[in-house]
Amino acid sequence: MPDDPLSWIDEESAHWSSRGLARRLRARGGAGPGLIVVGGQTLVHFGSNDYLALAGDPRVVEAARSAAAFYGWGAGASPLIAGWTEAHQALADDLARFERTDAVALFPTGFAANLGTIAALVGKEDAIYSDRLNHACLIDGARLSRATLRVYPHNDADRLDALLARDQGRFRRSLIATDGVFSMDGDLAPLGPLADLAERFGAMLLVDEAHGTGVFGPDGRGAAAACGVAERVAVRVGTLSKSLGSVGGFVAGSQRLIDWLVNHARTLIYSTGLPAAAAAAAREALAIARAEPWRREQVVHLGDRLRAHLKGAGIEVGGSTGAIVPVLIGASDDAVSASERLRAAGFFVPAIRPPTVPDGTARLRISLTAAHTDEQVERVGRLLAEGY
Ligand SMILES: *Cc1c(COP(=O)(O)O)cnc(C)c1O
């Protein structure tokens, strides 16, 4: 018998496990708003990006159901062939109005939106300037593009300034790419200074609004709007899968940008269109998010309350603001044990370990939604203060 060509995986996995990094999928059940069922236990769900609690909203579910009944479930083709329905167009139009841009392009996921957009905007002769804590899909998009990658320290606009100055004249085009709200730290990028730098050095600025849309800024228009620079961000990437409770990614920008992406973003061109039902659900969620500002206000209120409680107990929450509250632990196995103790007490709080976060910065990541209550937040805050 020849050796299994995959047998190398055993040794590599053993090494991975010995560092406390092994992970596995856990199937959850359905549960009410703000709750999760795992292993037969119902827990308060602090592990969801469904910030406005719209994924399970009956109006959103009904929008998906009726679009699926009308258009069928799968889109059947890529958008440029026949996978773009009236439901996709209606969502794109509403999103463009919401974002106050000319147009919007839709992608299969937010990950695909960043990957395809970055690779369509820059190539071998260009440079990308990327925050050290950027989401994996910005990093992978940079690698895919084959542009020169310059990583600057987290939120350090001065270092970015120095890098741009040093590189002046060396590249055909430059792209500054950043999360608007950092996914594992919950803090905002310094978008004002970044917009200034982009203008000063003639660079394109891409902001990933995955955790900004719906929660931050006037009407929930995102981190760039919260910093007053939305119209100075040439490329705004968003996802339908977080505050909008659906699935899919989008880019909002000028007609020039969107036409370019429709012709050159390979993750849009060579992948099947979103289900029309996903587009219809996101469109309904967007309408609800705008009509019910209490959702955004509630999640921000809960975040502020939890942060105040934790800080009062001497617990480090970094620069977080909004719906994401990280509790820094350090060692991976300590973060996992903390998560297990909270679970025994009725709370689902995921432990986030490397390589999702830098080595030595494992943490609990509490994400709040509009479905949570003051009392739930109070209880988890008390448990953490008591040393859970
Ligand atoms: C979740 C996330 C994405 C990916 O979005 P999906 O629609 O889930 O693929 C992109 N960027 C950031 C910052 C994210 O947190």
Side-chain angles (χ1 to χ4, degrees):
M1 274 283 276
D3 274 351
D4 179 349
L6 294 177
S7 59
W8 60 270
I9 289 177
D10 296 348
E11 199 176 315
E12 297 277 332
S13 297
H15 180 60
W16 194 246
S17 303
S18 72
R19 293 168 58 205
L21 300 179
R23 303 165 70 173
R24 63 188 171 83
L25 296 169
R26 274 192 295 223
R28 67 167 174 89
L35 300 174
I36 184 171
V37 176
V38 261
Q41 211 188 347
T42 302
L43 306 167
V44 178
H45 190 0
F46 285 131
S48 160
N49 301 316
D50 179 21
Y51 301 122
L52 303 182
L54 290 172
D57 188 283
R59 294 163 291 182
V60 172
V61 174
E62 181 48 38
R65 201 196 312 273
S66 62
F70 189 74
Y71 295 102
W73 169 243
S78 61
L80 283 168
I81 303 299
W84 183 257
T85 66
E86 294 140 342
H88 295 83
Q89 188 65 55
L91 170 63
D93 292 346
D94 281 5
L95 275 172
R97 257 193 301 277
F98 174 66
E99 296 278 351
R100 302 182 179 175
T101 57
D102 294 345
V104 156
L106 299 180
F107 290 79
T109 62
F111 199 113
N114 275 309
L115 219 58
T117 298
I118 293 173
L121 293 176
V122 287
K124 266 208 310 278
E125 301 117 284
D126 306 320
I128 299 182
Y129 300 83
S130 172
D131 187 288
R132 190 171 83 91
L133 296 188
N134 272 349
H135 190 268
C137 61
L138 294 171
I139 296 162
D140 289 358
R143 289 179 179 148
L144 182 66
S145 75
R146 297 192 293 161
T148 298
L149 178 59
R150 305 268 194 240
V151 177
Y152 58 90
H154 181 51
N155 279 350
D156 191 340
D158 292 336
R159 280 291 292 281
L160 174 58
D161 187 344
L163 285 170
L164 286 161
R166 196 189 64 190
D167 283 348
Q168 235 172 341
R170 281 178 71 171
F171 297 101
R172 181 183 60 173
R173 292 196 284 271
S174 309
L175 175 71
I176 301 169
T178 184
D179 285 17
V181 179
F182 286 86
S183 51
M184 297 302 137
D185 293 78
D187 56 341
L188 279 166
L191 295 175
L194 295 189
D196 291 344
L197 288 174
E199 280 159 19
R200 184 140 62 84
F201 289 96
M204 299 173 279
L205 176 59
L206 180 154
V207 175
D208 179 346
E209 291 276 14
H211 299 278
T213 305
V215 176
F216 284 83
D219 301 326
R221 280 185 289 113
C227 298
V229 297
E231 69 290 343
R232 297 167 66 200
V233 177
V235 189
R236 260 138 62 199
V237 183
T239 177
L240 308 175
S241 66
K242 286 166 184 159
S243 284
L244 295 177
S246 184
V247 63
F250 67 92
V251 175
S254 62
Q255 192 65 53
R256 171 196 270 151
L257 170 70
I258 301 310
D259 289 345
W260 179 259
L261 295 179
V262 167
N263 282 275
H264 297 280
R266 293 165 66 87
T267 53
L268 182 159
I269 299 168
Y270 298 107
S271 202
T272 297
L274 284 174
R283 183 171 181 243
E284 179 66 19
L286 179 63
I288 297 170
R290 302 194 69 182
E292 299 179 358
W294 66 264
R295 293 176 181 274
R296 188 173 74 246
E297 289 155 11
Q298 170 72 354
V299 78
V300 169
H301 156 78
L302 291 174
D304 290 345
R305 180 162 181 166
L306 180 58
R307 270 185 292 274
H309 194 118
L310 295 175
K311 280 184 195 160
I315 294 171
E316 183 58 59
V317 294
S320 84
T321 159
I324 302 167
V325 185
V327 176
L328 214 63
I329 305 270
S332 290
D333 34 6
D334 291 343
V336 172
S337 333
S339 171
E340 280 165 3
R341 286 192 298 272
L342 287 169
R343 184 169 167 170
F347 295 93
F348 181 82
V349 179
I352 310 290
R353 289 172 272 172
T356 306
V357 291
D359 277 329
T361 71
R363 68 199 64 186
L364 298 169
R365 178 182 183 273
I366 301 173
S367 54
L368 300 161
T369 75
H372 291 124
T373 63
D374 283 88
E375 195 254 330
Q376 291 167 334
V377 163
E378 197 68 30
R379 270 168 50 216
V380 80
R382 211 174 314 128
L383 288 172
L384 288 163
E386 285 164 8
Y388 270 75

